[in-house]
Amino acid sequence: MTHADIAPPEPPFEAVTRRQHGRRLLMLALPLIGSNLAQMAMNVTDTVMLGWYDVTALAAATLATSLYFLIFIVGSGFAWAVMPVVATAAEAGDAVMVRRVTRMGIWVGMIYAAVFVPPLMWTEEIFLALGQEPRVAAAGEAYLRIAAWAMVPGLVAMVMRSFLSALEHTGVLLWSTLGMAVCNTLLNYALIFGNWGAPELGIQGAAIASLSMAILQAALLMVYALRRLPEYDLFRRIWRPDLDVLGRVLRLGAPIGLTSLAEGGLFVATGVMIGWIGAVPLAAHGIALQVTSVAFMVQVGLSQAATVRAGRALGRRDETALRLIGQSGVLLSVVSSVLVGLMFISMPEPFVSAFVDPDDPARDVVVATGITLLSLAALFQVVDALQVMALGLLRGVQDTGVPMVLAAISYWVIGLPVGYVLGFPLGLGAAGVWLGLVVGLGLAAVMLLWRFWSRSVRIAAA
């Protein structure tokens, strides 16, 4: 099979300017950004509807989904490992490797789910040990006994997202996620509250909706791959193990998952520390994180696009192109994050006040604290954008082990202790803890970019 059979032809990379690389990167990123935002909208919908239904249900779902996503994010690292390998193999004209790595990505996801889904069936005792109220702990277990099964189709869908992104079929990801966001809202409305003749299931209704959407997304993406990309014949002899490629997915994916865990854990630990200060700073911290998380979806989409484009450059063994892609990616990250940062500095109050009840007696204090944190988030946006772009470029050239170590050192050895010292001994409070985030993420950006430009970009040397 020739290269023309498996990938759309492109002009030689040497003939492509930096501006053209930037345009291609942006065009690839926009559907990914949209699908990420649609996925976030689904999570927000679950939270809002459960909050309307019952405070205990909301608390239990928040607790349960926090545990679920902590486990899921590690497993998703194996799915993300499929993306750079497929991009490189497709560019090199190796359709067989595309099929092999995608199949083994599904295998690893299923093995991971088989290990971690059963323990999620019995979590009430864990929640009680963490000091949660008995009603909340019981409801959290009831939610997970249904929603935990979403890990199986969820990881399959993640592998298919990586496969399709690597082949630059990103439109289907956007439209399928938008459709699921609508379906999720309707199903939640029916099953949580018992509307339209459905049974009133409360928190279990939300779990059923989440499981249904995971199954639907996995099915849609697999059908699309079979119909639109039949040349890869993805599921032929899928039951046969491929130990060499399975090991490759494990070696690439484990560091990706652990890096995501380290970053997610950093924000959890930061929230715990701010909780020591008081409920008002913690509320402001939560609001600021919600706002910055939306902006972060832009950077995640750009990073994913950079992974694909870097993987394709690696497939062509074109170091010049990889350098131009790296420059374009960094420039797009800086420009977009600076624009968001300027918005946070110039008009922070509408973002914060939208999350606070006008009649809440603590409203003024929460808004004032939130405005301070959003001002710091202007710095946070730039360094966070740079470090996630660096991770995307490094994943594109299949460099994940050392970046995991560099990121963990930056987050936990430097960032978190600095935040503690600034927040407590030096008395800066929540602002000091956030400054620690800026320092940790900034150091990660510097070290990861240094890793890419000093070593990983050198395809010829490799």
Side-chain angles (χ1 to χ4, degrees):
M1 182 175 289
T2 65
H3 172 71
D5 291 327
I6 69 167
E10 293 186 0
F13 269 135
E14 295 84 350
V16 181
T17 66
R18 183 183 295 105
R19 178 176 295 181
Q20 288 171 317
H21 276 302
R23 187 182 299 115
R24 288 180 181 179
L25 185 64
L26 184 59
M27 290 302 101
L28 179 60
L30 287 175
L32 294 172
I33 292 168
S35 65
N36 291 336
L37 289 171
Q39 186 67 52
M40 175 171 278
M42 291 174 63
N43 299 334
V44 172
T45 299
D46 291 349
T47 301
V48 170
M49 287 198 172
L50 283 171
W52 290 345
Y53 180 76
D54 180 66
V55 173
T56 300
L58 175 59
T62 301
L63 187 67
T65 54
S66 297
L67 176 60
Y68 174 86
F69 282 114
L70 199 64
I71 296 172
F72 185 84
I73 199 171
V74 178
S76 66
F78 303 112
W80 290 128
V82 169
M83 187 185 296
V85 183
V86 168
T88 300
E91 198 66 27
D94 190 349
V96 174
M97 178 55 72
V98 170
R99 178 170 61 249
R100 291 172 69 192
V101 75
T102 304
R103 287 190 324 187
M104 289 304 100
I106 293 173
W107 265 61
V108 174
M110 295 303 93
I111 294 169
Y112 184 88
V115 172
F116 286 100
V117 168
L120 289 173
M121 299 292 105
W122 292 275
T123 50
E124 182 176 359
E125 294 301 321
I126 296 173
F127 294 147
L128 290 172
L130 292 173
Q132 303 302 312
E133 295 180 6
R135 286 191 307 160
V136 172
E141 182 180 282
Y143 177 88
L144 282 175
R145 288 207 163 190
I146 299 170
W149 293 104
M151 190 173 297
V152 177
L155 290 176
V156 172
M158 290 287 285
V159 172
M160 297 309 301
R161 285 174 62 91
S162 288
F163 166 77
L164 293 168
S165 297
L167 298 177
E168 304 194 19
H169 284 250
T170 53
V172 65
L173 303 181
L174 172 60
W175 295 113
S176 64
T177 311
L178 286 172
M180 285 195 309
V182 174
C183 292
N184 183 64
T185 301
L186 297 175
L187 201 55
N188 270 327
Y189 185 71
L191 296 179
I192 293 175
F193 302 99
N195 291 311
W196 303 325
E200 182 181 338
L201 300 176
I203 192 172
Q204 291 176 307
I208 292 171
S210 296
L211 174 58
S212 301
M213 291 306 102
I215 294 171
L216 178 61
Q217 183 177 47
L220 283 173
L221 296 183
M222 286 192 292
V223 169
Y224 178 90
L226 288 172
R227 292 178 64 88
R228 295 298 302 272
L229 297 161
E231 62 270 27
Y232 293 104
D233 199 10
L234 280 184
F235 305 111
R236 184 177 64 174
R237 295 194 297 271
I238 194 171
W239 59 87
R240 291 181 59 180
D242 188 342
L243 297 183
D244 288 344
V245 176
L246 187 143
R248 185 175 181 181
V249 172
L250 287 171
R251 288 191 299 273
L252 282 175
I256 295 175
L258 292 174
T259 301
S260 299
L261 179 64
E263 185 174 7
L266 173 68
F267 285 96
V268 171
T270 298
V272 170
M273 288 199 301
I274 292 177
W276 298 340
I277 302 171
V280 168
L282 184 58
H285 167 77
I287 291 169
L289 273 186
Q290 284 286 337
V291 175
T292 56
S293 293
V294 174
F296 186 62
M297 291 300 101
V298 175
Q299 304 306 328
V300 171
L302 288 171
S303 175
Q304 291 168 339
T307 297
V308 174
R309 298 303 298 171
R312 286 188 169 269
L314 181 63
R316 293 193 181 190
R317 313 298 295 172
D318 194 326
E319 184 176 317
T320 300
L322 182 58
R323 290 182 181 276
L324 292 175
I325 290 164
Q327 293 167 10
S328 302
V330 169
L331 181 61
L332 284 171
S333 290
V334 170
V335 170
S336 57
S337 60
V338 166
L339 290 175
V340 171
L342 289 174
M343 189 165 55
F344 286 168
I345 291 173
S346 61
M347 45 183 294
E349 186 170 354
F351 292 108
V352 180
S353 59
F355 287 85
V356 187
D357 186 341
D359 298 324
D360 193 315
R363 182 182 188 277
D364 291 342
V365 182
V366 171
V367 170
T369 306
I371 288 173
T372 300
L373 296 183
L374 272 190
S375 299
L376 292 172
L379 292 174
F380 170 91
Q381 286 297 304
V382 177
V383 296
D384 202 16
L386 285 173
Q387 68 99 24
V388 78
M389 175 54 66
L391 285 170
L393 290 167
L394 289 164
R395 289 168 187 173
V397 293
Q398 302 175 34
D399 183 8
T400 60
V402 172
M404 174 192 69
V405 175
L406 296 178
I409 291 171
S410 302
Y411 303 155
W412 287 90
V413 179
I414 307 297
L416 196 64
V418 168
Y420 176 82
V421 170
L422 292 174
F424 297 94
L426 296 183
L428 296 181
V433 177
W434 268 63
L435 280 172
L437 280 177
V438 173
V439 170
L441 294 170
L443 181 61
V446 170
M447 294 173 71
L448 293 169
L449 286 171
W450 171 82
R451 169 80 178 179
F452 177 75
W453 290 113
S454 66
R455 180 186 182 279
S456 298
V457 78
R458 297 180 179 176
I459 295 176

